[in-house]
Amino acid sequence: YNFIIRSDVYADGLTDAIASVTSDSTHSVNTNYEFRNSNNELIAQVMPAGASPVSGNITAKVWLEASVPTDNGDKYVSRHYQITPATNSATATAEVTLYFKQEEFDAFNTANADGLLLPSGPGDASGIRNLLIGKYSGVSSDGTGAPSSYSSAETIIDPDDNNVVWNAAANRWEVTFNVTGFSGFVVQTKNAALPIKLNYFTGNSLGKNNIVKWQAATANGIVIFDVQRSASGDPATFTTIHTDNPSAENSLNPFTYTDTLPLQGDNYYRL
C-alpha cells in the first residue's frame, strides 16, 4: 500500500508555511519525514519507500530564485531542491513531496508563454499533465542547484496526475513522486514534437454557439485532445474547456466540439 500523509494540524511552533528563503535542514529520516528550516517552514517531505528505503541523515535544501531561471535553454520553476542522503544516495528509494506556490507556477507560465504551461489553478488538468520533475543525481558542484551544476544527465520524472495536489487549506501545491537515487530536483515542462499530424482544425460560429472541428492524419493511438480557449490569444491565458480521450481505433475519426457558452467578445481556440 502507498500512503501519502498530509496534515494541517501543528504543534510546538510548527507552521503550514513553506520555506520563504533559501534554506536547508539535516536530520534522520528515521525520526521525522518532514524537513523544516530554522523558521520552522516546510522544505520537503521524504518518506522511506520502495526496494531500498532511504535511512539515516538526509539534508534537504531549497533555493528560491528572484526570477524564473534558464539553464541550457530550458526554464524551470524558481523554487528548486536538492535532497541528499548521507548514505546510499545513488541507490536509496523514497517517496518525495515537494511544495510550490501558485505564483511560482504563474511566473513560470509568463516566462514560458510560448511553451507548455504549468497549472494555472487547481482545475487546470492540462497544466497538471504538463508538470515534470527534472532529476539530477549527485550534488550541485557550485552550490547553485542549477541543472548544469550537476555532472549527471537529466532524468525526467512524470508524477501521477493524482499526486499533483492543490492543498487549499495550506495554499500550496504538493507534488509527490517516487525516486531511486538523489538529489537535485526542478519543476519544468518540456516541448517536444507531438506524435500526431492534423488534417485540419477549424472553427465557426452558429447562432450563439461556436463550433470547432478537427481530424488527425496520423497518431500513435495514444491521444488526448484538449480544446482550450482564450479571450485574448495570449498563450498564458488559454484554459481547457473540453477533453476527448478516444480509443486507439477512434483516434483518427473527425471530432467536433460545440462551445455553448462562449466568452463575450473575441474567442480564441487552440488544440
Side-chain angles (χ1 to χ4, degrees):
Y1 293 90
N2 185 23
F3 296 92
I4 299 173
I5 300 173
R6 298 184 176 92
S7 176
D8 298 308
V9 179
Y10 300 93
D12 300 326
L14 299 184
T15 172
D16 62 355
I18 61 176
S20 59
V21 294
T22 296
S23 48
D24 59 66
S25 173
T26 301
H27 65 70
S28 174
V29 73
N30 299 346
T31 58
N32 190 352
Y33 300 151
E34 286 189 347
F35 290 79
R36 294 175 175 271
N37 62 20
S38 59
N39 297 323
N40 280 328
E41 296 169 325
L42 193 57
I43 295 176
Q45 178 175 276
V46 181
M47 298 183 65
S52 183
V54 66
S55 62
N57 279 354
I58 294 176
T59 298
K61 182 167 185 177
V62 60
W63 286 269
L64 276 69
E65 310 294 349
S67 59
V68 175
T70 301
D71 191 270
N72 290 327
D74 290 329
K75 295 179 176 63
Y76 56 98
V77 171
S78 57
R79 181 183 297 266
H80 55 105
Y81 294 85
Q82 179 174 277
I83 299 174
T84 311
T87 58
N88 300 324
S89 62
T91 58
T93 55
E95 181 185 83
V96 173
T97 300
L98 306 179
Y99 304 97
F100 301 90
K101 295 183 177 181
Q102 180 61 54
E103 51 261 41
E104 293 163 350
F105 286 2
D106 292 342
F108 175 90
N109 289 345
T110 298
N112 197 49
D114 293 331
L116 297 175
L117 304 181
L118 292 172
S120 59
D124 186 357
S126 61
I128 289 172
R129 281 200 297 271
N130 290 338
L131 189 150
L132 300 172
I133 303 291
K135 173 182 173 290
Y136 299 86
S137 298
V139 177
S140 172
S141 62
D142 59 8
T144 65
S148 60
S149 69
Y150 294 88
S151 60
S152 63
E154 180 185 44
T155 299
I156 295 294
I157 299 172
D158 186 1
D160 188 304
D161 291 352
N162 294 319
N163 289 335
V164 180
V165 176
W166 173 250
N167 185 329
N171 197 35
R172 69 190 183 211
W173 284 96
E174 302 176 352
V175 181
T176 301
F177 53 94
N178 294 319
V179 296
T180 298
F182 291 83
S183 63
F185 300 101
V186 302
V187 161
Q188 59 193 9
T189 62
K190 288 285 188 181
N191 292 326
L194 294 175
I196 187 171
K197 292 183 179 180
L198 290 179
N199 281 328
Y200 58 83
F201 178 60
T202 63
N204 64 281
S205 60
L206 182 63
K208 296 182 178 181
N209 300 329
N210 291 337
I211 300 173
V212 292
K213 299 180 179 181
W214 68 95
Q215 184 183 36
T218 61
N220 67 358
I222 305 173
V223 179
I224 298 174
F225 295 111
D226 285 336
V227 178
Q228 299 185 333
R229 182 182 65 192
S230 166
S232 65
D234 181 341
T237 65
F238 279 89
T239 58
T240 299
I241 58 172
H242 176 73
T243 296
D244 273 310
N245 187 4
S247 61
E249 59 269 24
N250 292 328
S251 61
L252 301 183
N253 290 348
F255 291 86
T256 298
Y257 170 67
T258 300
D259 185 0
T260 59
L261 295 171
L263 304 171
Q264 291 187 349
D266 293 332
N267 286 256
Y268 294 82
Y269 296 89
R270 71 180 185 186
L271 188 64

